[in-house]
Amino acid sequence: MFRFVALVGTLLAASVFAFATGSSFMPPQGTEIAKEVDALYSFLIWSSLVSFVLLMGGTFYFALKYKRKTPNDVTPHITHNNLLEFLWSFIPFLVFLFVFAWGWIIHHDMRTMPKDAFEVHVTGSKWKWDFQYKSGKKTTSEFYVPVGVPVKLIMNSRDVLHSFFVPSFRIKQDVVPGRYTALWFKADKLGSFQVFCTEYCGTSHSQMLAKLNVVPQAEFEEWLKDDPYKGLSLSQIGQKYVTQNCKACHNINSSDKKIGPGLLGLWGQSREFEKGGSLNVDGDYIRESVLYPQKKIVKGYGAGAQMNSFQGMITEDELLAVIEYLKTNK
C-alpha cells in the first residue's frame, strides 16, 4: 500500500511540476496535431488524478471518521442515497463522452487528408525505409519535407508488416504488404525528427530507423533537384549506397558475421555454399547476390538467409558502383 501511495504521489508531483514549468513527458511537438494529442493526454492525466484524490481522500476520510472506537460500538444502519449514486455514475459518464468526442475530432483530423498535399512514396523492407518523390528522386533512411506544407505519405511493404511512427508528430500507421496505406502531417517546426518501425519485423527491427528533416521551402526545392552523387567517384557512390542500404544486415567495415557476411575484404575471397560448390567473389557473384540472393547462400547462413532481392530497387549504375566499392573495401 505504501509503495502504491508513493508511486501516485510521485506521479502527482511530476505532473504538477510539468504543468508549472510548461514541460511535457512527451517528445517535442512537431505538428499542430501533436499539440492536440498532448492536450487530450494532459486532460486524461489530470482528470484521473483528480478522480483518484477524490476517491482515495473520501475513502480515508470515512475510514477514519467511522472507525470503530470500542468493541461495544454498534454499526449504524445507513441507507442508500439516490442522488449521490446517480451523480457518481452520471458525472463520469459525461466525462467519458467528452473524452470520446475530443478523441474522435483529433482522429478525424488525422485521417482527413488535404487534397493538395505533397505526396511522398514510402516503402518498408527488412530493415530500412525507402522514400521516392514524384520528381524521381530516391532516398533511403532519410527524407526531406518543407515546413508548413501538408505532406501525404503513401506507404507499402516489400515483405512483412511494418509500422511507420514519428513520435514528435504523434502519428503512426501500419505498412502492409500487398496494399497501400496512407498518413499525412504538416510540420510547423524546423528540425530533424526520428522515425521508427513499431511493428516487430525480424532480427534487425530495432535498427529500422530513418530521419525526417523539415526544412524551409527554398532549401527543400534546392535539395529536391540536387544530385546526391555529384562530385563523387564511382567507388564513393558505391560506398554511399552500401552505407545507406546494407548496414542493417552486413558489417561494412568488418569481416565479422552479422545477419549476412561482413563486407570488408570480400572481393576475391572463396565462398562455399549451402548446396555445395564454391567460387571466388567477383562482379558476377555480387550482381547475382544483390538481385537473386537466394540462389547461392553462403555456408553457415542458411538458417538466417532472409535477404530480399534488390531487383527494381537498384539501378545498373548503382550496382556497378557497389561492385567498384567492394573491390576497394579492404
Side-chain angles (χ1 to χ4, degrees):
M1 180 65 180
F2 173 76
R3 291 181 179 178
F4 175 71
V5 173
L7 175 62
V8 173
T10 302
L11 290 174
L12 178 59
S15 299
V16 172
F17 175 79
F19 180 78
T21 60
S23 62
S24 172
F25 296 110
M26 308 290 277
Q29 299 168 337
T31 62
E32 189 63 34
I33 284 180
K35 298 174 185 176
E36 296 175 9
V37 171
D38 286 1
L40 175 56
Y41 187 73
S42 297
F43 175 81
L44 290 172
I45 290 178
W46 281 102
S47 60
S48 297
L49 285 172
V50 170
S51 300
F52 173 82
V53 170
L54 291 175
L55 179 63
M56 299 308 296
T59 300
F60 286 123
Y61 171 75
F62 288 117
L64 293 174
K65 180 177 181 179
Y66 295 106
K67 180 181 178 181
R68 192 177 185 188
K69 306 296 190 301
T70 68
N72 298 324
D73 285 351
V74 179
T75 302
H77 177 68
I78 302 174
T79 62
H80 65 279
N81 186 304
N82 291 330
L83 178 61
L84 185 62
E85 292 177 3
F86 172 77
L87 290 178
W88 74 38
S89 298
F90 187 69
I91 292 176
F93 172 71
L94 292 179
V95 174
F96 293 151
L97 284 182
F98 175 72
V99 169
F100 172 80
W102 192 351
W104 183 89
I105 291 172
I106 295 176
H107 176 75
H108 181 267
D109 291 342
M110 293 174 69
R111 301 309 305 173
T112 304
M113 304 182 189
K115 294 181 179 180
D116 59 344
F118 181 84
E119 294 183 352
V120 180
H121 289 270
V122 182
T123 303
S125 61
K126 296 187 291 187
W127 286 274
K128 61 187 177 67
W129 296 106
D130 293 317
F131 306 93
Q132 183 167 10
Y133 295 80
K134 288 187 175 182
S135 65
K137 184 158 187 173
K138 298 179 182 179
T139 61
T140 298
S141 302
E142 183 176 35
F143 72 115
Y144 287 75
V145 298
V147 67
V149 174
V151 177
K152 180 180 179 180
L153 305 180
I154 303 172
M155 303 182 288
N156 73 316
S157 169
R158 290 192 181 97
D159 38 47
V160 298
L161 183 65
H162 300 285
S163 190
F164 190 91
F165 177 44
V166 188
S168 293
F169 293 179
R170 313 296 190 266
I171 57 173
K172 184 170 77 73
Q173 176 63 52
D174 284 351
V175 183
V176 185
R179 59 171 292 188
Y180 291 105
T181 55
L183 192 63
W184 86 278
F185 61 86
K186 185 173 77 170
D188 55 15
K189 183 177 181 181
L190 297 173
S192 182
F193 302 94
Q194 188 66 57
V195 178
F196 295 93
C197 175
T198 54
E199 190 74 42
Y200 181 71
C201 54
T203 310
S204 296
H205 161 70
S206 61
Q207 298 180 38
M208 192 168 172
L209 308 173
K211 285 291 185 181
L212 194 170
N213 299 299
V214 181
V215 298
Q217 181 72 39
E219 183 178 337
F220 172 73
E221 291 176 359
E222 188 66 27
W223 173 86
L224 195 60
K225 66 182 181 181
D226 183 45
D227 181 2
Y229 297 141
K230 186 177 181 180
L232 298 180
S233 67
L234 194 60
S235 178
Q236 290 172 325
I237 293 173
Q239 181 180 15
K240 186 180 180 72
Y241 187 90
V242 168
T243 301
Q244 291 178 334
N245 294 276
C246 308
K247 65 181 180 180
C249 301
H250 298 273
N251 282 312
I252 298 172
N253 301 314
S254 167
S255 59
D256 295 339
K257 176 179 179 179
K258 205 173 182 181
I259 296 173
L263 301 182
L264 183 67
L266 179 67
W267 187 265
Q269 282 190 2
S270 177
R271 315 298 279 178
E272 295 184 0
F273 305 114
E274 285 284 341
K275 295 181 179 180
S278 65
L279 54 76
N280 293 331
V281 175
D282 58 12
D284 288 331
Y285 171 72
I286 292 173
R287 177 185 176 84
E288 183 180 66
S289 296
V290 171
L291 301 180
Y292 309 101
Q294 302 301 321
K295 278 194 173 183
K296 290 186 177 69
I297 298 176
V298 177
K299 196 170 184 179
Y301 292 87
Q306 303 178 36
M307 180 171 171
N308 296 314
S309 171
F310 275 65
Q311 238 181 336
M313 299 165 54
I314 185 171
T315 65
E316 285 295 331
D317 290 341
E318 289 170 333
L319 185 53
L320 182 63
V322 169
I323 293 172
E324 191 64 29
Y325 165 65
L326 292 179
K327 286 181 183 178
T328 61
N329 188 31
K330 298 179 180 179

